[in-house]
Amino acid sequence: MNYRHAFHAGGFGDCMKHALLLWLLRALQRKPAPLFVLDTHAGAGSYDLASEPATRTGEWRAGIARLLDEPPVVLADYVAQVRSLGLYPGSPVITRALLRPDDRMVCCELHPDDAAELRRRFAGDRQVAVHHRDGWEAVGALLPPKERRGLMLIDPPYEDPQEFAALARGLATGWQRFRTGVFAAWYPIKQRAQLRQFLADLQQSGIRDIVTAELCLREPVDPTRLNGCGLLVVNPPYRFEQEAPAMLAALLDRLGDREPGEAISVRRIVDE
Ligand SMILES: C[S@@+](CC[C@H](N)C(=O)[O-])C[C@H]1O[C@@H](n2cnc3c(N)ncnc32)[C@H](O)[C@@H]1O
């Protein structure tokens, strides 16, 4: 396991993922019934953007740093959370900030150092459980939750090209076990060809009600660069397709450098 999220924290991929995550959580919390959140690839929880890894890549300078001053209205909620949470927050810390007293979260993280850091952060927190375990295996083991309402964030590192296939399998397993759950899976866009098979597999999987939200900063032709990213949402909450475009457009406006091929899209790939 070579991937360490500390090198990428606060980059445009994080901004897109976390802004949409926050929207999804708020949407699910419109109903008072308790909510379960599973973060299958949770990372360390928070990141020091002045640390050596973050400074070395500087990804956050072209990401969150561009949103902090006068954030666009549609991103104000996300930016306010980032400001209020101290060190740059990862997905578990953002989610934890929103949990209501009867909501709960399980975080899975396989890297021993990151899992230990996450455990320390949530020690004594009765609403959060941290598992040093394989997130793919947890999708089978922990679903469906007793609450019967849940959001599963799936955010693997994509170190291995097989990770798209693992994601398609993980989504199929999760959906078979918990058909009403909301699954949100982040994916990188390097080249379109990589994605075609993945999206085709999902269209054949039997899973219903799938929408993709994508942000591309440039034409995805250079396979060595993160040219864009997407969030695939199964069972998107009411108005996701209507409201996500404005958030993506605001992200592109601030984080894009007006390169050829920049684009946003929100696309239904499987009907309800
Ligand atoms: C992209 S990072 C997660 C970032 C985090 N979700 C956030 O938004 O703040 C992916 C994480 O998955 C962890 N990881 C890799 N393989 C895993 C697996 N099979 N199960 C659980 N965690 C894994 C890595 O150590 C890394 O911390």
Side-chain angles (χ1 to χ4, degrees):
M1 295 183 65
N2 293 319
Y3 181 92
R4 306 305 304 280
H5 196 63
F7 288 92
H8 308 290
F12 80 90
D14 255 10
C15 296
M16 182 267 203
K17 168 184 37 180
H18 295 155
L20 294 179
L21 168 67
L22 199 63
W23 188 96
L24 291 170
L25 286 164
R26 297 252 190 243
L28 287 165
Q29 289 180 331
R30 282 184 214 129
K31 288 192 181 150
L35 181 69
F36 169 75
V37 181
L38 173 62
D39 195 331
T40 59
H41 296 71
S46 57
Y47 304 89
D48 180 357
L49 298 181
S51 68
E52 200 277 327
T55 311
R56 202 185 318 161
T57 62
E59 288 186 20
W60 65 274
R61 293 188 187 283
I64 189 64
R66 295 192 188 180
L67 299 176
L68 291 173
D69 289 333
E70 295 177 39
V73 175
V74 285
L75 301 176
D77 189 12
Y78 161 59
V79 175
Q81 289 296 327
V82 172
R83 282 185 183 288
S84 70
L85 290 171
L87 282 183
Y88 179 76
S91 52
V93 168
I94 291 174
T95 301
R96 177 63 188 100
L98 264 71
L99 293 186
R100 301 163 302 177
D102 291 329
D103 296 338
R104 78 186 165 104
M105 168 168 67
V106 173
C107 301
C108 299
E109 170 55 50
L110 204 50
H111 195 289
D113 296 348
D114 288 354
E117 197 173 327
L118 208 52
R119 278 227 167 101
R120 279 194 295 278
R121 165 172 281 275
F122 293 122
D125 189 329
R126 64 167 193 86
Q127 289 178 259
V128 181
V130 176
H131 297 193
H132 177 205
R133 105 193 256 182
D134 182 355
W136 300 122
E137 179 257 332
V139 169
L142 302 181
L143 300 181
K146 66 177 189 294
E147 293 83 354
R148 297 279 161 177
R149 298 189 65 237
L151 171 65
M152 280 53 66
L153 175 68
I154 306 180
D155 184 23
Y158 298 92
E159 276 182 303
D160 177 345
Q162 294 309 312
E163 205 115 53
F164 276 105
L167 174 55
R169 282 196 304 277
L171 284 167
T173 305
W175 184 79
Q176 285 296 342
R177 300 183 64 88
F178 185 24
R179 291 193 177 200
T180 55
V182 176
F183 294 81
W186 185 92
Y187 55 89
I189 301 177
K190 293 185 173 178
Q191 275 186 318
R192 280 274 157 220
Q194 263 182 339
L195 287 177
R196 272 188 213 114
Q197 187 60 48
F198 167 63
L199 296 176
D201 285 351
L202 282 177
Q203 284 168 323
Q204 299 301 314
S205 67
I207 302 175
R208 308 301 309 160
D209 199 3
I210 310 180
V211 169
T212 57
E214 294 187 350
L215 168 69
C216 277
L217 300 188
R218 62 191 77 85
E219 198 68 57
V221 284
D222 180 350
T224 64
R225 295 182 79 186
L226 184 66
N227 299 307
C229 60
L231 193 76
L232 178 142
V233 185
V234 179
N235 293 322
Y238 175 64
R239 291 197 59 76
F240 180 75
E241 288 169 270
Q242 287 74 27
E243 295 190 22
M247 298 173 73
L248 296 175
L251 286 163
L252 184 59
D253 182 52
R254 287 290 175 92
L255 308 184
D257 288 323
R258 312 292 181 260
E259 292 184 66
E262 65 169 31
I264 61 161
S265 78
V266 176
R267 212 159 56 89
R268 171 164 287 283
I269 63 162
V270 181
D271 287 334
E272 287 178 49

